[in-house]
Amino acid sequence: MLGSLPSLASEEGPCSAMLSCDICGETVNSEPDMKAHLIVHMENEIICPFCKLSGINYNEICFHIETAHFEQNAPEKNFEKLAAVQYGNSDRKNTNLQSTAEVTSGIHSACASNFPKESSESLPKDRTVKHEAFYTENITESRKYQKSREKKSGLSEAQGSIYETTYSPPECPFCGKIEGCSQDMEIHVKTKHASLLESPLKDCHQPLYDCPMCGLVCTNYHILQEHVDLHLEESSFQQGMDRVQCSSDRELAHRLQQEEDRKRKSEESRQEREEFQKLQRQYGLDNSGGYKQQQLRHMELEVNRGRMHPSEFHSRKADMLESIAIGIDDGKTKTSGIIEALHRYYQNTATDVRCVWLSTVVDHFHSSFGDKGWGCGYRNFQMLLSSLLQSDVYGDCLKGMAVPCIPKIQSMIEDAWNEGFDPQGASQLNNKLQGTKAWIGACEIYTLLTSLRVKCRIIDFHKSTGPLGTHPRLFEWILNYYSSETEGTPKIVCTSKPPIYLQHQGHSRIVVGIEERKNRTLCLLVFDPGCPSREMQKLLKQDMEAGSLRQLRKSVGNLKHKQYQIVAVEGVLSPEEKVARKQASQVFTAEKIP
């Protein structure tokens, strides 16, 4: 560090040549002056081997090492060497330069060998700031202490100052406490100020800290931690804002969903009300009046259109009111004698028919102005009852009866409900038929006939049994019904069987017979209450043509509704059987085929 000692130009007495310093080039007169000059160079170059402290003299660096680095430095070894160098000779000017260089070299060696291997990242975050303050304070205190010692002792030489600084009673550099020996002071510092001892080296391979979030480079771990904390606080704030925004979005979405659900439910409710009102109108439950009111409105409309004379209006109104009062149909829509006309036709013409089965005599009733659009079930009951009234088998249970008008039929069904038949069906129609245009079906026909002690049953053909939605099983069942009592194979069979009530969705008809063609296909013969009297009366002609039967004939391909129900009459019920049927109708079920 200091280089080799300069060569002496001459040693011949006081008048020898001037000596020149190899370091700075300064010339001196004698060798002792050169040695003193070199010592100045040495003092200026002294650096603390532990914390890189520099810029102080030799005495101050020794005191600094003793007080600040007594644990890291080997005091006995280093200070023995210092003592040997500084106090080996009584005269400071005669100090051996080689020994001084050795001491200085040893100090620098200690600096190289005593670098701590621990990372500063493992230190507490506030340790760096404390140690920086400690180093500055320590240098200041060491200088003050040295000057004070020099003033008190009155020593002017460096040897005495170093000796007093090194071997005076040690004082704690942190709290100022004085101990008797260095060992006690070491124990005191280790126990009382242990946290201040683990200090990083200042400006010695100082680590750099990269922020993991933004890449900012920091030279202080504490600053980095505060910087990262700011990132985390910002992130937490942003997350909070995001949560607030997310919560606001969820609330908005929830409100929008609620509004959409409310609109959807409102629309569904509106559609349900419209559908219900439509069904009420369709099935006559809209409180718009019944047979009487509808009949009067239609006749008034005919008068307004000029199709009916006012006198005819009053005459027909009087007949209607009289019919309703006595409960008997006025017969204005009835056509009789059709079964007899069919017998003549099959006997004389019908060359394509192998065999035909006809029910007992049946009168045809069609709908009038008063029941148009909803009265088919009532008209079919009138047709069925007209056949039963002409048979002696049912004379006992139907004694004194005539074909009732529609309001009377409604009253008879209500009486059956009040008697205890079909409570479920009654509740569906609000236990009221009179004064309404409510439709009736197979269940109401069964209930009414059973209440009159007419034995019957409902058979439900609830699904298709043939290709293309056809019901061949229905045709087979009706054929067996009519042909069960036939002997032989005559072409025309007039049975004692009453007609069959045939129901499907939206309409009902009466089956009055079945024919078998020569190609073995079956065809039903039905009376439709929607067919007016003028069309039915064409069948009464003596020269009936085959085309006239088109409105009666229904082949397998003509009946393609999803479901059919029939009500078949089988005889008369005893009073006990009637009671049993009434109890069974509490949980009403139809017989299903297949």
Side-chain angles (χ1 to χ4, degrees):
M1 173 178 175
L2 298 178
S4 61
L5 291 175
S7 60
L8 301 179
S10 174
E11 297 184 7
E12 295 181 356
C15 296
S16 60
M18 299 291 288
L19 300 178
S20 177
C21 176
D22 291 341
I23 298 174
C24 64
E26 184 178 352
T27 58
V28 296
N29 296 325
S30 63
E31 181 178 349
D33 293 338
M34 178 58 69
K35 291 180 179 180
H37 175 76
L38 292 175
I39 289 175
V40 173
H41 280 296
M42 292 172 57
E43 289 179 346
N44 290 338
E45 292 295 328
I46 291 177
I47 300 174
C48 177
F50 303 106
C51 66
K52 296 294 184 178
L53 179 64
S54 63
I56 58 177
N57 60 33
Y58 192 82
N59 297 334
E60 290 173 338
I61 201 65
C62 291
F63 175 75
H64 166 72
I65 293 173
E66 173 63 19
T67 56
H69 308 295
F70 66 91
E71 182 181 6
Q72 294 170 310
N73 187 32
E76 297 82 7
K77 179 178 179 181
N78 292 332
F79 280 100
E80 286 176 2
K81 187 177 293 186
L82 286 172
V85 173
Q86 298 295 330
Y87 305 107
N89 298 316
S90 59
D91 188 4
R92 181 171 180 261
K93 294 183 179 180
N94 296 327
T95 301
N96 189 297
L97 292 177
Q98 184 177 359
S99 299
T100 306
E102 181 182 354
V103 172
T104 306
S105 175
I107 292 174
H108 286 283
S109 299
C111 179
S113 62
N114 284 282
F115 277 37
K117 297 182 175 61
E118 301 170 328
S119 172
S120 61
E121 293 180 1
S122 64
L123 298 176
K125 63 182 182 180
D126 60 342
R127 194 70 52 83
T128 304
V129 177
K130 290 182 178 180
H131 288 323
E132 290 176 356
F134 166 71
Y135 296 148
T136 305
E137 180 183 359
N138 193 39
I139 294 171
T140 304
E141 291 295 328
S142 64
R143 290 176 176 174
K144 288 181 180 180
Y145 182 80
Q146 178 65 22
K147 291 179 180 179
S148 176
R149 297 287 294 178
E150 288 178 355
K151 289 180 180 180
K152 288 181 180 180
S153 61
L155 297 177
S156 58
E157 295 183 353
Q159 294 90 341
S161 177
I162 294 174
Y163 184 85
E164 291 297 329
T165 302
T166 305
Y167 294 101
S168 62
E171 181 179 353
C172 178
F174 305 111
C175 64
K177 184 178 180 181
I178 299 175
E179 296 290 349
C181 61
S182 61
Q183 289 80 5
D184 295 338
M185 178 57 67
E186 180 179 356
I187 294 173
H188 165 76
V189 173
K190 286 183 177 180
T191 56
K192 300 298 183 180
H193 310 292
S195 62
L196 299 176
L197 297 178
E198 301 174 2
S199 60
L201 295 180
K202 182 178 179 183
D203 299 330
C204 183
H205 299 290
Q206 184 176 14
L208 299 177
Y209 306 98
D210 294 336
C211 175
M213 297 183 177
C214 67
L216 178 68
V217 179
C218 300
T219 58
N220 186 286
Y221 182 78
H222 176 66
I223 296 176
L224 174 65
Q225 186 173 12
E226 292 181 351
H227 173 73
V228 173
D229 289 341
L230 290 176
H231 274 301
L232 296 177
E233 290 178 2
E234 182 181 0
S235 176
S236 177
F237 176 77
Q238 185 62 37
Q239 290 177 359
M241 294 299 294
D242 291 342
R243 284 193 295 270
V244 171
Q245 183 65 30
C246 183
S247 176
S248 177
D249 291 343
R250 284 197 299 268
E251 292 178 0
L252 178 59
H254 183 64
R255 289 197 300 270
L256 292 176
Q257 184 64 39
Q258 286 182 331
E259 181 66 19
E260 183 178 350
D261 292 342
R262 186 188 64 79
K263 291 181 179 179
R264 177 178 54 80
K265 290 180 181 180
S266 177
E267 180 65 20
E268 289 177 354
S269 299
R270 185 188 63 80
Q271 291 179 357
E272 288 178 359
R273 287 194 301 270
E274 291 180 355
E275 290 294 330
F276 182 69
Q277 292 173 358
K278 181 179 179 181
L279 289 173
Q280 283 183 323
R281 290 192 299 270
Q282 181 179 355
Y283 292 99
L285 299 175
D286 56 350
N287 297 321
S288 60
Y291 176 84
K292 176 181 176 180
Q293 290 80 2
Q294 183 169 319
Q295 181 77 2
L296 289 174
R297 282 196 298 269
H298 276 281
M299 290 192 300
E300 290 174 355
L301 185 61
E302 290 293 306
V303 172
N304 293 334
R305 291 175 178 176
R307 299 176 183 177
M308 182 182 294
H309 196 273
S311 60
E312 182 182 359
F313 167 79
H314 291 289
S315 175
R316 294 182 63 174
K317 178 180 178 180
D319 293 342
M320 180 193 67
L321 295 177
E322 181 181 0
S323 173
I324 293 174
I326 63 177
I328 299 176
D329 187 79
D330 56 12
K332 294 182 181 291
T333 65
K334 181 177 72 172
T335 303
S336 302
I338 299 178
I339 298 298
E340 294 84 356
L342 291 175
H343 186 275
R344 292 194 303 269
Y345 170 78
Y346 286 111
Q347 188 176 20
N348 300 326
T349 309
T351 57
D352 57 340
V353 176
R354 191 183 72 87
C355 185
V356 60
W357 291 266
L358 299 175
S359 67
T360 57
V361 177
V362 182
D363 294 332
H364 178 267
F365 290 82
H366 71 85
S367 298
S368 65
F369 288 135
D371 60 289
K372 186 175 183 180
W374 57 274
C376 58
Y378 301 99
R379 296 299 182 180
N380 285 323
F381 176 77
Q382 289 178 331
M383 288 188 265
L384 178 58
L385 188 60
S386 69
S387 177
L388 297 178
L389 291 174
Q390 299 184 55
S391 173
D392 295 335
V393 177
Y394 304 97
D396 184 45
C397 59
L398 301 178
K399 185 182 295 185
M401 285 190 63
V403 176
C405 62
I406 290 179
K408 178 62 176 179
I409 297 173
Q410 291 177 328
S411 176
M412 293 169 65
I413 296 175
E414 289 181 359
D415 293 340
W417 287 344
N418 294 332
E419 193 176 346
F421 288 93
D422 192 18
Q424 184 177 2
S427 64
Q428 291 177 354
L429 294 172
N430 299 322
N431 294 284
K432 181 178 177 59
L433 287 176
Q434 294 186 83
T436 71
K437 294 181 286 188
W439 293 20
I440 62 173
C443 293
E444 287 72 34
I445 298 298
Y446 173 87
T447 297
L448 181 53
L449 290 175
T450 305
S451 68
L452 297 175
R453 289 199 304 116
V454 176
K455 185 179 181 180
C456 58
R457 62 172 175 161
I458 297 179
I459 299 95
D460 186 4
F461 297 87
H462 59 95
K463 64 179 181 179
S464 171
T465 55
L468 302 177
T470 57
H471 293 263
R473 290 291 300 276
L474 171 63
F475 284 73
E476 293 172 5
W477 193 96
I478 294 175
L479 177 62
N480 292 332
Y481 172 80
Y482 280 116
S483 63
S484 59
E485 61 183 25
T486 304
E487 295 181 1
T489 56
K491 182 178 180 181
I492 304 172
V493 180
C494 294
T495 69
S496 61
K497 296 283 187 178
I500 298 173
Y501 178 90
L502 176 64
Q503 174 80 47
H504 62 80
Q505 179 63 37
H507 195 44
S508 61
R509 286 168 282 191
I510 283 289
V511 180
V512 297
I514 185 171
E515 63 181 21
E516 182 182 9
R517 301 293 183 89
K518 289 184 178 180
N519 59 2
R520 298 295 179 176
T521 60
L522 299 176
C523 187
L524 298 181
L525 300 175
V526 299
F527 283 0
D528 191 336
C531 185
S533 295
R534 62 179 179 273
E535 295 295 330
M536 298 300 295
Q537 290 175 0
K538 293 179 181 180
L539 300 174
L540 302 178
K541 296 179 179 180
Q542 293 293 331
D543 55 348
M544 182 194 310
E545 298 179 358
S548 301
L549 288 178
R550 187 177 304 167
Q551 57 188 347
L552 301 184
R553 285 173 171 167
K554 302 297 176 184
S555 64
V556 175
N558 296 133
L559 301 182
K560 292 185 178 182
H561 285 275
K562 182 178 180 180
Q563 180 181 8
Y564 288 91
Q565 286 182 335
I566 63 174
V567 179
V569 177
E570 298 178 331
V572 178
L573 293 172
S574 65
E576 294 78 11
E577 290 175 329
K578 176 182 176 181
V579 173
R581 292 284 180 103
K582 179 174 65 177
Q583 294 176 350
S585 69
Q586 301 297 317
V587 184
F588 185 82
T589 56
E591 178 183 349
K592 291 185 177 182
I593 294 178

